[in-house]
Amino acid sequence: MSKPVITLNGLKLVIMLGMLVIIFAGIKVAADIIVPFTLALFIAVILEPLVGLIEHCRIPRVLAVTLLTGLFIMLAVVLIAYLGTSLNELARTLPQYRSSLIVPLQAIEPWLRHIGISVSVDELIKYIDPSAAMTTLSGLISQLSNAMFSVFLLLLTVVFMLLEVPQLPAKLQRVMHHPRDGMAAIQRAVNAVSHYLVLKTAISLVTGLVIWIMLAAMGIRFAFVWGLLAFALNYIPNIGSVLAAIFPVMQVLVFHGAYDALMVGLGYLLVNMIFGNILEPRIMGRGLGLSTLVVLLSLIFWGWLMGPVGMLLSVPLTIVVKIALEHTEGGQGIAILLGDKLPDTPAD
């Protein structure tokens, strides 16, 4: 009698996996619509605690959302304007990289030949084309000039999401077959994602500020750009902090020398060890419930499915999927695989 049960459970698992494939394929096709909506949803999750704090001061929710949105727009305008100026300056200095790279490459050439690697600096320089980087930067600058409209639409979506929050629980209860269990699962997912995003945003902001101050104190050009990059990439688990250090270290290596590049690299390492390996685990605790391997695989998967936004939101998206699977009969086994510990075994 046990074989039909196993077959039925296996069939449910296959059907559920097939549905997931169809859903993910739809997300991939409709990424241009789903990605901004998902980003707006997670921004609303981050801002909701701030709206709640303002409401505690006996300020109406509409006014609280308006004040918070106005502040966000002002910061976005200043940020985009400053970033555009920095990128323009960076684009103007790119041609200097070609001539500046010749000296360190010529210094390395005899050492490479000594260990048996034959490299021609003149041939290698031909492959270094700053015009390609300038084209990329020019496109990025033009996108920044047109970004205000996209930011406006994104914030407009966030505003309506925040205004909809008080009525949302009642609406969801009306459409659920099991309102108590469904709302408990939704509340658990919202609490986990909100806890992660709020703390991760605060830690990323402090990390970006520290990197900016450190590079500015060392006299490194474009310190603001690299600090902003460190803030954004700190959302990416495991490899984000490493990616954020590559470009500033390369810049310092070309214009300032190996010693300064080593100091900058050590500075990044120290900052990431303090914030990423000491403070962040202490502040966040072990409440995510995801294994280290799953975090890495989710980074690859969501990055492929939704692009850079998927990489930034890979952990909260995986948390939501795991909690959803835990409350489905066929998905509990997959939820166990995603977790960081074994479930409690029932006593005999």
Side-chain angles (χ1 to χ4, degrees):
M1 295 298 291
S2 61
K3 289 185 177 179
V5 175
I6 297 175
T7 304
L8 182 60
N9 291 335
L11 181 61
K12 289 181 179 179
L13 180 61
V14 171
I15 293 175
M16 188 190 66
L17 290 176
M19 293 174 62
L20 286 176
V21 170
I22 295 174
I23 292 172
F24 290 144
I27 293 175
K28 184 70 174 178
V29 173
D32 292 340
I33 299 175
I34 294 177
V35 169
F37 177 80
T38 305
L39 184 59
L41 178 62
F42 282 106
I43 292 176
V45 170
I46 295 174
L47 295 181
E48 173 59 25
L50 296 178
V51 175
L53 289 176
I54 298 175
E55 280 188 302
H56 280 306
C57 299
R58 298 184 180 181
I59 297 177
R61 186 176 186 85
V62 176
L63 183 57
V65 172
T66 303
L67 292 174
L68 201 58
T69 305
L71 178 61
F72 199 85
I73 291 175
M74 290 176 58
L75 290 176
V77 169
V78 173
L79 183 64
I80 291 177
Y82 193 85
L83 184 59
T85 303
S86 300
L87 289 177
N88 268 317
E89 185 180 357
L90 179 60
R92 288 195 300 268
T93 59
L94 277 176
Q96 302 176 14
Y97 281 79
R98 186 185 180 94
S99 58
S100 300
L101 279 173
I102 297 177
V103 176
L105 288 176
Q106 287 177 342
I108 296 175
E109 183 180 6
W111 181 77
L112 293 176
R113 288 183 178 178
H114 180 71
I115 62 175
I117 301 176
S118 179
V119 177
S120 174
V121 175
D122 295 332
E123 292 295 327
L124 188 60
I125 288 295
K126 293 179 181 179
Y127 293 98
I128 301 174
D129 185 13
S131 61
M134 288 186 67
T135 302
T136 304
L137 272 178
S138 299
L140 182 59
I141 293 171
S142 63
Q143 289 178 6
L144 280 175
S145 63
N146 299 325
M148 293 308 299
F149 182 69
S150 300
V151 171
F152 174 76
L153 291 179
L154 183 67
L155 287 178
L156 190 64
T157 306
V158 171
V159 167
F160 281 101
M161 285 181 176
L162 291 174
L163 293 177
E164 190 73 14
V165 168
Q167 294 81 24
L168 193 58
K171 291 182 179 180
L172 291 176
Q173 288 180 354
R174 294 292 183 91
V175 300
M176 289 180 178
H177 295 289
H178 303 285
R180 180 177 299 178
D181 295 338
M183 290 304 300
I186 292 175
Q187 188 62 46
R188 181 185 168 195
V190 170
N191 291 340
V193 172
S194 177
H195 177 264
Y196 173 82
L197 284 177
V198 171
L199 292 180
K200 190 67 173 180
T201 299
I203 294 172
S204 299
L205 182 60
V206 175
T207 301
L209 288 173
V210 171
I211 293 294
W212 179 19
I213 294 172
M214 179 190 72
L215 295 179
M218 297 176 67
I220 307 302
R221 300 181 66 183
F222 314 116
F224 175 78
V225 176
W226 306 136
L228 184 62
L229 185 67
F231 162 74
L233 295 184
N234 196 60
Y235 282 94
I236 301 178
N238 300 324
I239 64 171
S241 57
V242 177
L243 295 176
I246 293 176
F247 292 108
V249 170
M250 289 177 59
Q251 173 193 322
V252 176
L253 178 63
V254 172
F255 286 101
H256 298 267
Y259 177 78
D260 289 340
L262 179 61
M263 291 297 102
V264 171
L266 290 176
Y268 268 91
L269 180 62
L270 181 62
V271 170
N272 291 318
M273 283 184 60
I274 293 175
F275 289 99
N277 298 330
I278 299 177
L279 292 181
E280 185 171 325
R282 286 176 177 268
I283 295 175
M284 288 191 174
R286 297 181 54 86
L288 298 180
L290 299 176
S291 70
T292 305
L293 177 61
V294 169
V295 171
L296 180 60
L297 294 179
S298 68
L299 172 66
I300 300 172
F301 173 75
W302 293 110
W304 165 79
L305 188 66
M306 301 175 64
V309 173
M311 297 179 70
L312 296 175
L313 301 177
S314 59
V315 171
L317 286 170
T318 307
I319 292 173
V320 172
V321 171
K322 179 177 178 291
I323 293 176
L325 290 173
E326 288 175 348
H327 289 79
T328 58
E329 184 177 353
Q332 294 176 356
I334 300 177
I336 293 174
L337 294 176
L338 296 178
D340 59 348
K341 58 184 178 179
L342 292 175
D344 296 332
T345 55
D348 294 335

